[in-house]
Amino acid sequence: MQYTIVIVLLPLLSFLVIGLLNSKLKPVLAGTIGTISLAIIAALSYYCAFEFFTADRVNGVFEAVTMKMEWLRFSENLRIDLGLLLDPISVMMLVVITTVSLMVHIYSLGYMKGEDGFQRYYAFLSLFTFSMLGLVVATNIFQMYIFWELVGVSSYLLIGFYYTKPEAVAASKKAFIVTRFADLFFLIGILVLSFYTQTFDFAALTSGDANIFAETAGASFMGASVLAWAMALIFIGGAGKSAMFPLHIWLPDAMEGPTPVSALIHAATMVVAGVYLVGRLFPVYFFHSPETLAGIAVVGAVTALYAAVVACVQTDIKRVLAFSTISQIAFMMAALGVSGYEGHHGLGYMASMFHLFTHAMFKACLFLGAGAIIHAVHSNEMNHMGGLRKYMPVTHITFLISCLAIAGIPPLSGFFSKDEILAAVFEHSTLLGVTMSFTAGLTAFYMFRLYYNIFWGKEHKHEHTPHEAPKFMTFPLIFLAAVTVFAGIIPFGHFITADGLAYDIHINMQVAVTSVIVALAGIGLATYMYMKPKELPEKMAKSVPGLYKAASNRFYIDTVYLFVTKKVIFNCISRPLAWFDRHVIDATMNNLAHVTQWTSVKIRVLQSGQLQRYAVVFLAGALLAAAFAIILFLANFNTI
């Protein structure tokens, strides 16, 4: 399977060609180069998945195919390799990344047509795809960190693509700063983990060899083991990238980037990197840091509920989808947090990866559908829409299919993956199960609130009659909707489980029936409130003004961050430090420079080059020496 190196390197080559030639390429040629390269690696990824998952198993698990070369060696055992690691979750991610990226490349040929910087846009898309592919096939955690940071750079460039818009520039900086802050903890966690285990290698860390973690047995800090601290710090890095509470604040603002970027980065690929990280290190969490795993479950449940509540009152369609993404990723995190091996081969682990796969497809479809809607009405606001089903039939049907999938309506794929998550959560904790079920009901409500406000309700008057998107934009919608319809029948448990053993997905009828009833209740409430124009939504908002206002303002989390950064850190810490730096550090250095300059001015006459001055100085020195000698002679004359 040596051809897999092409999957990673071809997008890099595409980035270099498009990026270096840039304006010398016609826009259509730049788009064609990027799209064809993605089509090639998508085909290779599908073939790789087929070859890998049909291969024989060894000791109950799939054989991992690894390509390695040593890059840096720190000691006899500790070194950093560069290479490719193919295992079930990395191969699954190859399929997800290349599929969504290919659809976004095709879609962008229509959506971004005529935009300034079209070539730059496709160069950045290729760079991001290269970075994300390199992240998922990394053989060790340090190699993953390198690509992790490169993904962050790519995200920054794409969010700020419209660099003439202050909002886009601010959003790109916000995303970059928040994720870099989280990544600092990730790096510290990597260093602590590697110091005690003497390895960066994923295969070694997840092998189950207890000797690797022997050094951590007696080490503790503030009442917790060093390994627990390391894994918690690593999770913070994943929480930042996957927008978990309270590091979620960057994702809604990231919607300032082009809508296809939102579909690729902020719905299906980069934002699930944190889930992938926890999944990659799951054996370490499960066997050596179960307390951290429990914390991950709580963070996931809280984030899912918080984001769902906020999504219920947003009016910008992309921000509704952004908070929906946060909530759904939190579902995946919660599933990993409650997962175990006992009796069900890690149901939560399998369910999390399954939902990652299905969610990528229908959420990308929803974002691309939103892009088609924005393309038609030139607005993101729901109150500028309504009745669009008559003008955009393809977008309407594909959007509806995706809404039903995310709501968990059978037989669509979202039902199967979400129900496995709920079953795993209920096995772990009834309280968490009820919380997640309620959140699933909110999901159905806010998604159909979105759907009815766009395609039903009161029709808004437009300057130009809305129209269906061009074929370049509708084809990806149809493709992703088709995957959404049929992905649920994939026997996912035969391919990806925590212990590598095949698991037949069993529908827990009690959980399934309950979740479907809850979803239908959410859809029914949204239908009653929003299918036809009514005053009920406004009356409900006025009945709980405090809650509505707080949810509209994201429960003031951004305000708290701004207060802490500007009022506390800037005023109470940064300004005093700046004063000390200017008036003490800089002043000391400046005064030393002034003294040195004054002294140099005074003594430079000694090096004037004038013989007369040298003769005078020589004569004066000679006279002083003679006088000193005479004084010494007279002082000692009586002794002689």
Side-chain angles (χ1 to χ4, degrees):
M1 302 177 73
Q2 300 298 315
Y3 62 85
T4 51
I5 189 67
V6 177
I7 297 174
V8 178
L9 294 183
L10 191 55
L12 175 61
L13 178 62
S14 174
F15 162 70
L16 293 174
V17 171
I18 300 173
L20 292 176
L21 296 179
N22 199 2
S23 57
K24 295 179 182 178
L25 290 175
K26 291 183 178 180
V28 66
L29 182 56
T32 302
I33 292 172
T35 304
I36 290 175
S37 68
L38 254 296
I40 293 171
I41 65 170
L44 288 174
S45 296
Y46 298 152
Y47 179 71
C48 174
F50 172 78
E51 188 176 4
F52 184 82
F53 287 121
T54 56
D56 294 331
R57 301 187 183 196
V58 177
N59 297 325
V61 297
F62 293 105
E63 274 189 295
V65 179
T66 309
M67 297 170 55
K68 281 187 181 181
M69 66 176 183
E70 186 176 302
W71 180 39
L72 295 174
R73 179 175 287 274
F74 299 103
S75 66
E76 183 178 351
N77 297 321
L78 187 60
R79 70 172 191 259
I80 299 176
D81 296 323
L82 295 177
L84 303 177
L85 174 63
L86 299 180
D87 70 348
I89 60 172
S90 65
V91 173
M92 181 268 292
M93 286 299 295
L94 288 181
V95 172
V96 170
I97 294 165
T98 56
T99 299
V100 176
S101 187
L102 176 59
M103 292 301 107
V104 167
H105 274 71
I106 295 172
Y107 182 93
S108 298
L109 292 173
Y111 187 87
M112 299 297 290
K113 185 178 180 180
E115 289 277 4
D116 292 334
F118 186 89
Q119 298 92 325
R120 173 168 54 91
Y121 171 82
Y122 269 89
F124 290 164
L125 282 185
S126 295
L127 176 63
F128 171 79
T129 305
F130 161 70
S131 307
M132 196 68 204
L133 292 170
L135 186 155
V136 299
V137 298
T139 59
N140 61 80
I141 195 169
F142 204 90
Q143 181 187 347
M144 175 186 272
Y145 184 78
I146 294 170
F147 284 98
W148 189 276
E149 294 304 301
L150 195 54
V151 163
V153 171
S154 306
S155 174
Y156 169 80
L157 293 172
L158 285 165
I159 294 170
F161 176 77
Y162 298 119
Y163 58 86
T164 56
K165 289 177 58 179
E167 299 87 355
V169 174
S172 63
K173 290 192 294 184
K174 186 176 185 179
F176 193 78
I177 292 169
V178 172
T179 53
R180 292 298 74 69
F181 174 77
D183 292 349
L184 172 62
F185 293 95
F186 184 17
L187 179 59
I188 296 171
I190 291 172
L191 296 177
V192 173
L193 180 65
S194 61
F195 177 80
Y196 283 96
T197 61
Q198 287 295 293
T199 184
F200 293 108
D201 195 70
F202 284 130
L205 289 170
T206 60
S207 64
D209 185 359
N211 293 327
I212 293 176
F213 300 95
E215 292 293 326
T216 65
S220 62
F221 177 71
M222 295 180 63
S225 69
V226 166
L227 188 57
W229 279 105
M231 300 313 294
L233 290 168
I234 290 172
F235 169 68
I236 291 174
K241 197 73 83 183
S242 289
M244 292 294 98
F245 185 90
L247 299 173
H248 65 281
I249 58 171
W250 65 271
L251 185 57
D253 292 338
M255 298 301 108
E256 293 294 340
T259 303
V261 169
S262 301
L264 176 62
I265 297 180
H266 308 121
T269 54
M270 187 191 87
V271 288
V272 297
V275 177
Y276 178 79
L277 173 63
V278 177
R280 167 63 71 207
L281 293 173
F282 182 74
V284 183
Y285 280 105
F286 181 74
F287 289 111
H288 303 285
S289 186
E291 61 272 33
T292 307
L293 206 57
I296 291 173
V298 173
V299 169
V302 170
T303 304
L305 179 59
Y306 162 81
V309 171
V310 175
C312 289
V313 298
Q314 298 298 304
T315 58
D316 183 313
I317 63 174
K318 287 181 68 176
R319 279 177 168 74
V320 173
L321 295 177
F323 279 102
S324 172
T325 300
I326 295 172
S327 184
Q328 294 301 302
I329 293 170
F331 265 80
M332 304 172 204
M333 283 291 192
L336 285 172
V338 302
S339 185
Y341 289 0
E342 299 82 3
H344 43 54
H345 309 289
L347 175 59
Y349 177 92
M350 185 279 297
S352 177
M353 296 299 109
F354 193 16
H355 200 57
L356 187 158
F357 178 82
T358 60
H359 172 265
M361 302 305 163
F362 56 69
K363 184 54 66 69
C365 185
L366 286 166
F367 264 111
L368 295 182
I373 294 160
I374 294 168
H375 185 267
V377 302
H378 307 290
S379 174
N380 291 25
E381 290 295 322
M382 285 190 282
N383 57 10
H384 294 163
M385 302 170 191
L388 293 181
R389 71 187 187 281
K390 295 181 292 184
Y391 307 103
M392 308 179 71
V394 175
T395 304
H396 169 235
I397 295 301
T398 54
F399 203 91
L400 175 59
I401 290 171
S402 299
C403 285
L404 290 169
I406 196 172
I409 301 300
L412 301 176
S413 59
F415 163 75
F416 295 98
S417 57
K418 186 203 71 174
D419 261 45
E420 294 301 314
I421 289 177
L422 292 177
V425 172
F426 268 110
E427 284 190 18
H428 179 81
S429 166
T430 302
L431 177 60
L432 281 181
V434 171
T435 302
M436 299 300 280
S437 294
F438 176 69
T439 304
L442 288 178
T443 302
F445 171 77
Y446 68 67
M447 286 307 304
F448 275 85
R449 169 181 176 265
L450 178 65
Y451 165 74
Y452 284 122
N453 276 314
I454 295 171
F455 295 105
W456 295 75
K458 183 179 180 181
E459 187 174 336
H460 185 78
K461 293 182 179 179
H462 302 282
E463 293 183 9
H464 306 285
T465 303
H467 56 84
E468 187 59 89
K471 292 181 180 179
F472 277 126
M473 296 169 63
T474 54
F475 169 75
L477 296 177
I478 296 169
F479 179 87
L480 292 169
V483 175
T484 297
V485 171
F486 296 108
I489 65 175
I490 296 174
F492 201 82
H494 285 208
F495 303 126
I496 298 176
T497 56
D499 57 4
L501 299 176
Y503 172 73
D504 291 316
I505 295 176
H506 300 93
I507 296 177
N508 184 321
M509 291 307 298
Q510 183 177 354
V511 173
V513 171
T514 303
S515 68
V516 170
I517 291 173
V518 170
L520 290 175
I523 294 172
L525 181 60
T527 303
Y528 177 71
M529 292 176 64
Y530 298 103
M531 187 174 182
K532 294 182 180 179
K534 288 179 182 161
E535 296 182 357
L536 181 59
E538 291 184 11
K539 290 181 179 179
M540 289 186 66
K542 291 178 181 178
S543 66
V544 283
L547 177 61
Y548 182 84
K549 186 178 179 181
S552 298
N553 289 280
R554 309 176 191 179
F555 291 96
Y556 304 102
I557 303 298
D558 289 70
T559 306
V560 171
Y561 271 103
L562 287 174
F563 175 80
V564 171
T565 52
K566 291 187 175 182
K567 300 297 183 181
V568 178
I569 297 177
F570 289 174
N571 288 340
C572 301
I573 300 175
S574 299
R575 290 185 188 280
L577 287 176
W579 183 92
F580 182 81
D581 183 59
R582 284 195 303 270
H583 294 87
V584 179
I585 305 297
D586 286 354
T588 300
M589 295 298 105
N590 291 337
N591 288 331
L592 286 174
H594 293 154
V595 171
T596 302
Q597 186 180 25
W598 180 85
T599 305
S600 66
V601 169
K602 296 300 180 182
I603 67 174
R604 69 183 179 181
V605 295
L606 298 176
Q607 296 286 335
S608 65
Q610 296 179 359
L611 293 176
Q612 298 91 330
R613 284 185 178 275
Y614 291 167
V616 170
V617 172
F618 176 79
L619 181 59
L623 291 175
L624 286 173
F628 184 68
I630 292 170
I631 292 171
L632 287 177
F633 175 77
L634 293 175
N636 294 285
F637 181 77
N638 293 332
T639 305
I640 298 173

